[in-house]
Amino acid sequence: MKKLSKKFFSQDPAKVAKNLLGCILVRKLNKKVISGKIVETEAYYGLKDPASRAYKGKTKVSENMWESAGTILIYMVHNQWLFNIVTGKKGKPQAVLIRAVEPISGIKFMKRKRKIPRLCSGEVKKLASGPGKFTCAFGIIKEKYHGLNITKTKDLLIIPRKENFKIASSKRIGVARDLSQNLRFYIKDNQFVSR
DNA sequence: AGGAAGATCTACT
DNA sequence: GTAGATCTTCCTA
């Protein structure tokens, strides 16, 4: 299987965020495969962006944003792990946040991770419909992936996929001081985006 | 020591 | 749909 290249991530974060929609995120563990389609993303501009962790300069949390494209940045907010991928050139802090995925395989695993004992069929859409829920469902934790490069990891990868859909955009969610432009992107009319 | 943070769940209007 | 309580790191004083 072909996965996304470093070149893919070396572009403007808003562009990467849009191109990431519809791609398949895969996590392999043991003999199980957990996968889902990316349906919602947000772009973050480091230095000019008050909502970015890099806004106030390098800290222990944000230092990975200065690494090269494809580096995985995970940090915790409100007891949730948020999963970011660094984009652009090395030394220029920018990133894309994965906000929601549509579960494809490993749904049992996700349910167990999310600790939803009796999940009605209609509630699969809530399994990974949010940045914290998605990392939880995929079992992604900071100790394992923080600082790695997603173009190199063998058990975590993103596969490109062509598909026809409309991309919608909006203001980012939960951001105290947002920029004037729309930096949240999602697949229009998809049931698995947050809210 | 105190507070903020890119969120989520639950319970309501 | 909105509102409030709650959670864990790490930054600032």
Side-chain angles (χ1 to χ4, degrees):
Chain A
M1 276 194 291
K2 212 173 162 185
K3 56 180 170 178
L4 292 182
S5 65
K6 193 161 180 173
K7 196 176 162 192
F8 177 93
F9 294 104
S10 304
Q11 310 175 75
D12 183 81
K15 193 171 179 183
V16 176
K18 274 186 266 192
N19 289 344
L20 230 32
L21 294 174
C23 292
I24 310 299
L25 181 69
V26 181
R27 181 172 183 223
K28 295 179 185 167
L29 75 169
N30 303 327
K31 291 181 179 171
K32 287 197 193 93
V33 175
I34 321 294
S35 69
K37 182 167 75 175
I38 298 171
V39 297
E40 183 179 349
T41 57
E42 279 179 2
Y44 284 88
Y45 290 87
L47 300 174
K48 297 263 176 178
D49 188 351
S52 167
R53 289 278 139 133
Y55 183 60
K56 291 174 182 168
K58 277 192 194 181
T59 66
K60 203 170 179 182
V61 183
S62 71
E63 61 187 358
N64 277 353
M65 279 182 83
W66 275 261
E67 288 305 315
S68 56
T71 301
I72 297 170
L73 171 72
I74 298 177
Y75 62 87
M76 178 170 281
V77 177
H78 295 78
N79 201 20
Q80 312 287 334
W81 294 116
L82 301 215
F83 185 82
N84 299 257
I85 301 171
V86 176
T87 68
K89 288 226 158 143
K90 185 171 182 175
K92 199 175 178 189
Q94 300 175 328
V96 169
L97 166 72
I98 311 284
R99 285 196 115 270
V101 304
E102 172 182 335
I104 294 174
S105 64
I107 291 179
K108 244 187 184 171
F109 176 88
M110 295 187 195
K111 285 182 184 172
R112 204 165 57 239
K113 277 284 176 191
R114 294 284 328 278
K115 294 188 174 117
I116 303 173
R118 282 164 279 138
L119 195 69
C120 307
S121 56
E123 287 185 331
V124 174
K125 65 168 73 104
K126 292 182 184 167
L127 266 178
S129 61
K133 292 191 243 182
F134 138 70
T135 50
C136 179
F138 272 66
I140 292 173
I141 53 171
K142 182 178 178 182
E143 298 92 66
K144 196 157 171 70
Y145 294 109
H146 187 65
L148 300 180
N149 193 301
I150 198 159
T151 62
K152 290 179 189 151
T153 47
K154 297 225 169 84
D155 58 342
L156 188 70
L157 49 145
I158 301 178
I159 301 163
R161 193 175 175 204
K162 286 255 178 186
E163 207 182 328
N164 276 335
F165 51 78
K166 285 184 180 167
I167 295 176
S169 70
S170 78
K171 291 285 170 55
R172 291 177 296 188
I173 290 182
V175 178
R177 288 177 297 166
D178 205 353
L179 299 176
S180 55
Q181 49 189 305
N182 286 341
L183 290 173
R184 170 176 175 251
F185 306 98
Y186 56 98
I187 296 178
K188 196 169 189 295
D189 298 327
N190 186 287
Q191 296 296 302
F192 296 86
V193 303
S194 60
R195 296 273 149 138

